[in-house]
Amino acid sequence: MALMTVLAAGLLTSCGGASTSTEASAASTPSVVAPSLADASATAATSPSTLPDDAAVTYAFHDSSVPPPYHRSVTLTLDRDSARIVVDSYGDVLADETTATTAQAWAELGATLASMIDLKVEPGPDGCTGGTSIDLVVTSGSTPIVDVSPEFCAGSNEGLDTAIDSWIAPARELFPATDVLAPTQ
């Protein structure tokens, strides 16, 4: 649990978000466990081990409800050729950058894609406020490979945030940290 809290804190630094869900999840029983490396290896035998050439990835982190100077939601889109990141605060664009997708980042995403295919998402608790959420969509042409939208509030989907953020890290590392792209005022 302490390792997950440390990893989540690292994500908040790299994504620039502020969230109370880490505190809430530390006090609750896990409701979802991200697939282990052994699970990913078993899935890899029946799942793609690379991203198709026509794949498109969309990762969107939706920050918790905090005052506008501190709110940072991040949308990262990429394909084999280019990657784009947009950081916003309640719809006001604070940063918008595009760069080339490196062959290494594309290969790393493809090599670990199986770990995203079998994620199990549980509905968040009704009436829970102050949490964050992530949308992750990977398509090949018009065919979805991955389409998950976990919410993180009061311990829901514990561990999935770390699993998804670890998977998208090679693409996220193509850009500066969120607090560099869009510093708080």
Side-chain angles (χ1 to χ4, degrees), residues 65-107:
S65 275
V66 294
Y70 308 104
H71 181 92
R72 298 292 183 267
S73 289
V74 176
T75 302
L76 176 61
T77 55
L78 71 143
D79 59 25
R80 187 174 193 76
D81 299 320
S82 64
R84 178 181 180 207
I85 193 167
V86 176
V87 180
D88 75 87
S89 177
Y90 298 109
D92 292 331
V93 175
L94 305 174
D96 186 343
E97 291 195 13
T98 302
T99 192
T101 302
T102 64
Q104 179 179 348
W106 192 254

Side-chain angles (χ1 to χ4, degrees), residues 1 4 19-33 122-125 128-132 151-161:
M1 182 64 69
M4 188 172 89
S19 173
T20 59
S21 64
T22 302
E23 295 158 6
S25 61
S28 66
T29 304
S31 58
V32 173
V33 177
E122 292 184 5
C128 191
T129 58
T132 62
E151 295 178 344
F152 308 99
C153 188
S156 64
N157 293 306
E158 186 173 339
L160 290 185
D161 51 350

Side-chain angles (χ1 to χ4, degrees), residues 4-16:
M4 188 172 89
T5 302
V6 169
L7 291 172
L11 167 66
L12 292 176
T13 301
S14 67
C15 286

